[in-house]
Amino acid sequence: MAENAGYFANCKVRREIKQCKLPCLRKIEACYRQMRSLISKPMSDSEVDKTADPSTCDSDAPQEAGNGGEEVWHSIAAKPEFRELLASKARFIVPMCIFFLVYYFALPLLVGLAPELMAKKVWGVVNVAYVFALSQFFMTWIVAIIYARVAGRFDRQAHGLVSEYKS
């Protein structure tokens, strides 16, 4: 079941790459195809060295004069909107990760450093440690939901930056 989910997600990504007109993305897809074919057969050291060079990928994508994909990347990366997008992602992700790690490691630390607090009964035989451990499941879901909503906003901003380069 899990293998099928990965397969279908992979097909969706490959279909989106094929529809894209950016040569750099279609070259990535061609390299991906070549890597998949190479996985199934053993290679000599010289073949491994050859496949490490991305310019050896057999790409059916038309190439622009020069390195068009790299030029597109540099022009997007130079935009102040792109820098603001990266900064806003960092302003969200770093504090959220710190919060989650502190919350996650608080349970074993409190159990070890404050066992009398964690042993206090809350309801019947259920103590503070059990309640805290259960709350971590809820906190994980809350963090995931918040991230999914914020990531959607980041994706819309990124799509707006890239959309002018798609033809």
Side-chain angles (χ1 to χ4, degrees), residues 43-95:
M43 295 186 297
S44 68
D45 289 341
S46 64
E47 288 176 315
V48 170
D49 291 339
K50 181 182 175 194
T51 57
D53 180 14
S55 65
T56 62
C57 288
D58 301 323
S59 175
D60 56 353
Q63 296 298 312
E64 297 175 6
N67 193 350
E70 195 170 315
E71 291 171 8
V72 169
W73 163 250
H74 287 299
S75 64
I76 292 173
K79 289 185 165 202
E81 296 91 1
F82 180 74
R83 288 192 207 113
E84 177 56 34
L85 173 63
L86 293 181
S88 63
K89 286 176 83 170
R91 281 192 305 270
F92 172 76
I93 291 171
V94 171

Side-chain angles (χ1 to χ4, degrees), residues 7 14 16 25 31 36 46-47 50-52 59 70 73 75-76 79 93 95-96 102 104 126 142 148 157:
Y7 173 77
R14 293 181 72 210
E16 289 174 0
L25 292 180
C31 289
R36 295 291 293 176
S46 64
E47 288 176 315
K50 181 182 175 194
T51 57
S59 175
E70 195 170 315
W73 163 250
S75 64
I76 292 173
K79 289 185 165 202
I93 291 171
M96 187 63 76
V102 167
Y104 181 78
V126 178
I142 291 168
Q157 289 174 340

Side-chain angles (χ1 to χ4, degrees), residues 3 13 23 35 73 124:
E3 290 178 17
V13 169
M35 285 185 341
W73 163 250

Side-chain angles (χ1 to χ4, degrees), residues 19 43-44 69 89 138 145 165:
Q19 292 172 354
M43 295 186 297
S44 68
K89 286 176 83 170
F138 295 110
I145 291 167
Y165 293 97

